[in-house]
């Protein structure tokens, strides 16, 4: 996926500590510290997030399954991480890049404009010949 390519590229540079928090790692990435957690266990998430944050990661990736059960907790933690100078990716389900930014802004307890670089959206589609292709869009907050 696009997210895994971004993480892999960042990790391969060798000068960044990269973590992901996932319900189940879909693919293991060299150089990425992938933490698998039960999305229903808030205490386990808080403990793991604290340990990750204390290790001072350069990049943090949070996958979408968490967004369903612990969305506000996770997205506020992601924003706090971004506010402290870390690069944070949050994967979520949305119908557009703009909707993703709006969902995130609505779920957190303070403004995101100074910390959100951009949101991107993609989906796989099929053309008339049955070939699959990616459709994508991006949105930078403030570009309304």
């Amino acid at each position: 996926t696009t997210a895994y390519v971004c993480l892999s590229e960042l990790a391969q540079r060798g000068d960044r500590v990269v973590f992901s928090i996932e319900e189940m790692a879909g693919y293991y990435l060299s150089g990425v510290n992938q933490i698998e957690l039960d999305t229903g266990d808030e205490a386990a998430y808080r403990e793991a997030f604290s340990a990750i944050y204390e290790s001072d990661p350069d990049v943090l990736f949070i996958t979408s399954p968490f967004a369903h059960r612990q969305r506000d907790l996770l997205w506020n933690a992601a924003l706090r991480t971004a506010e402290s100078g870390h690069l944070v990716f949050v994967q979520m389900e949305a119908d557009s890049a703009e909707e993703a930014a709006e969902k995130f802004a609505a779920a957190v307890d303070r403004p995101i404009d100074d910390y959100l670089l951009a949101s991107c959206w993609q989906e796989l589609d099929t053309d008339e010949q049955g070939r699959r292709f990616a459709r994508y869009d991006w949105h930078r907050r403030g570009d309304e």
Side-chain angles (χ1 to χ4, degrees):
T1 68
T2 301
Y4 276 9
V5 169
C6 290
L7 291 175
S8 183
E9 286 292 318
L10 289 166
Q12 296 312 310
R13 292 178 47 175
D15 64 344
R16 297 185 181 190
V17 177
V18 181
F19 274 91
S20 72
I21 300 174
E22 306 173 63
E23 184 171 40
M24 185 172 77
Y27 182 78
Y28 291 98
L29 301 168
S30 177
V32 177
N33 301 290
Q34 293 171 274
I35 309 299
E36 294 182 338
L37 291 176
D38 174 4
T39 59
D41 189 344
E42 185 176 328
Y45 169 76
R46 287 182 186 274
E47 182 179 319
F49 189 84
S50 292
I52 290 167
Y53 190 77
E54 288 173 13
S55 73
D56 195 26
D58 297 298
V59 180
L60 176 62
F61 172 69
I62 300 173
T63 61
S64 59
F66 285 106
H68 297 292
R69 294 189 187 152
Q70 308 289 350
R71 184 186 73 189
D72 294 353
L73 166 73
L74 295 164
W75 292 358
N76 275 291
L79 180 56
R80 280 192 305 278
T81 303
E83 289 170 337
S84 64
H86 301 84
L87 178 59
V88 180
F89 292 85
V90 177
Q91 179 188 22
M92 69 177 75
E93 293 186 19
D95 291 327
S96 70
E98 187 171 354
E99 181 186 328
E102 290 169 359
K103 282 175 111 173
F104 189 85
V108 297
D109 57 9
R110 57 199 174 281
I112 64 171
D113 292 343
D114 291 340
Y115 304 101
L116 179 68
L117 298 176
S119 58
C120 66
W121 166 88
Q122 76 175 32
E123 74 176 356
L124 288 177
D125 205 347
T126 306
D127 67 15
E128 296 81 27
Q129 290 79 35
R131 295 177 297 217
R132 297 189 79 173
F133 67 97
R135 293 190 311 136
Y136 51 91
D137 184 28
W138 70 279
H139 175 76
R140 180 172 170 85
R141 190 116 174 115
D143 285 350
E144 285 83 27

